[in-house]
Amino acid sequence: MKLAFIGLGVMGFPMAGHLQEAGHEVTVYNRTISKAKAWVEAYGGDYASTPALAARNAEIVFVCVGNDDDLRQVVIGDEGVFVGMSTGAILVDHTTASADVARELAVIADDHGFGFLDAPVSGGQAGAENGVLSIMVGGNAVIFKRCEPVLQAYGKSIRLLGETGSGQLAKMVNQICIAGLVQGLSEGVHFAKRAGLDGEALFDVIQHGAAGSWQMVNRHQTMLANEFDFGFAVDWMRKDLSIALEEARNNGAQLPVTALVDQFYAQVQKMGGNRWDTSSLVALLERDEDRA
Ligand code: NAP
């Protein structure tokens, strides 16, 4: 198929690569053009100088940019993909954004005769590079069926969860579940250090029991070593939690722990941890320990 991919960040770069490797003809766009050139060098395919030009003739256009405003810019901006897309083409948005912006773009897409799916992902940089992302999708079932085989290039678990916005709502649940869990793990790591336990041995045992989690398996070693350069950044997490907390204000959900952990992340940012990974909550406890 002729495809376009907009946004070659940590996630988009390898995701677009998987599409090209699967035999599709991919045209990419990236705001910083050097990354688009690097992508063509790595995978072949083509690059365009605007989102609209990349989207021309594409059957499916994929987007993976930062937040709601970035998304609006590359989709409905003067040179956005909606200017270039043809009737019947589909936009698949992988950005973690609000459910409201998904609904807004779906209405505009419909007016133009385009399909739209909100399809945020989970699995991090490693998931994107290895092509094993979880993809949570909202939108029309017929459009989903057309896109599903293409998404398999980088998705391991792909699910249509309901109408437009459902993918973003599902991603909010994902982030809500992570927030409290990482704080609990941080407190466990911190306590283990204070108690003088052998952290390596300890987590090697308990990761196989009821307290085990992906975060414990993959992050306990780096957390014990106070290293925070392993994936999803605190700035991104705060963006995601603010989306979830805003949605909760609208639907009445109670998120006391999520709201608290969001404030802990704000303190990590004040420590200079904007680009640290999300397990850096433990650094806050260790810092408070230094002060004690
Ligand atoms: P990233 O590395 O910071 O890349 C962001 C991409 O968006 C870059 O290509 C950037 O272009 C582009 N962009 C941002 N604002 C733009 C604008 N106004 N106009 C045009 N292009 C713009 O981010 P990422 O880690 O790939 O994350 C992308 C999305 O996936 C985010 O919504 C994030 O929350 C979500 N996500 C990330 C992860 C993860 O582990 N990283 C996991 C799951 C979901 P430039 O190159 O020019 O800056």
Side-chain angles (χ1 to χ4, degrees), residues 168-202:
Q168 295 298 353
L169 293 170
K171 175 74 184 184
M172 291 174 214
V173 174
N174 189 75
Q175 302 305 72
I176 290 165
C177 293
I178 288 176
L181 190 150
V182 175
Q183 178 63 19
L185 180 58
S186 297
E187 292 181 17
V189 168
H190 174 63
F191 179 95
K193 282 186 170 179
R194 273 265 167 139
L197 288 167
D198 175 345
E200 282 297 335
L202 163 71

Side-chain angles (χ1 to χ4, degrees), residues 32-286:
T32 307
I33 202 153
S34 55
K35 277 195 216 166
K37 290 180 180 168
W39 186 89
V40 169
E41 228 163 77
Y43 297 105
D46 212 348
Y47 72 90
S49 57
T50 69
L53 287 172
R56 200 180 276 176
N57 299 322
E59 292 165 68
I60 307 175
V61 177
F62 299 87
V63 175
C64 190
V65 293
N67 58 28
D68 284 19
D69 287 343
D70 302 329
L71 179 60
R72 286 195 186 92
Q73 209 169 331
V74 299
V75 175
I76 52 174
D78 289 344
E79 297 181 317
V81 293
F82 280 0
V83 174
M85 279 167 65
S86 321
T87 309
I90 299 168
L91 176 64
V92 175
D93 177 34
H94 288 308
T95 309
T96 303
S98 68
D100 283 344
V101 78
R103 294 180 198 113
E104 173 190 325
L105 295 180
V107 169
I108 302 171
D110 197 46
D111 288 345
H112 285 76
F114 309 145
F116 179 87
L117 297 175
D118 52 299
V121 300
S122 173
Q125 180 175 356
E129 287 172 356
N130 298 324
V132 293
L133 291 169
S134 295
I135 311 181
M136 298 149 270
V137 188
N140 172 290
V142 175
I143 292 171
F144 174 72
K145 276 284 160 225
R146 281 176 57 197
C147 296
E148 192 180 14
V150 184
L151 290 170
Q152 278 162 353
Y154 47 75
K156 187 174 166 202
S157 170
I158 308 167
R159 198 69 177 261
L160 180 68
L161 292 162
E163 61 194 17
T164 301
S166 302
Q168 295 298 353
L169 293 170
K171 175 74 184 184
M172 291 174 214
V173 174
N174 189 75
Q175 302 305 72
I176 290 165
C177 293
I178 288 176
L181 190 150
V182 175
Q183 178 63 19
L185 180 58
S186 297
E187 292 181 17
V189 168
H190 174 63
F191 179 95
K193 282 186 170 179
R194 273 265 167 139
L197 288 167
D198 175 345
E200 282 297 335
L202 163 71
F203 287 107
D204 198 39
V205 175
I206 68 171
Q207 69 184 356
H208 302 294
S213 66
W214 185 97
Q215 297 285 343
M216 186 183 283
V217 170
N218 290 283
R219 292 287 179 267
H220 75 268
Q221 283 174 322
T222 49
M223 289 170 82
L224 284 166
N226 276 318
E227 291 170 1
F228 307 117
D229 192 20
F230 298 91
F232 198 61
V234 167
D235 279 353
W236 280 142
M237 188 60 167
R238 285 219 73 208
K239 177 214 29 150
D240 292 1
L241 293 181
S242 83
I243 292 170
L245 290 166
E246 176 65 27
E247 189 67 36
R249 270 189 284 278
N250 295 333
N251 69 18
Q254 307 280 323
L255 304 180
V257 172
T258 306
L260 187 62
V261 174
D262 180 53
Q263 289 311 300
F264 293 155
Y265 278 125
Q267 290 177 46
V268 174
Q269 287 175 315
K270 283 197 189 129
M271 288 171 71
N274 301 61
R275 301 300 297 176
W276 293 351
D277 72 57
T278 46
S279 71
S280 56
L281 285 172
V282 71
L284 206 58
L285 302 171
E286 299 286 308

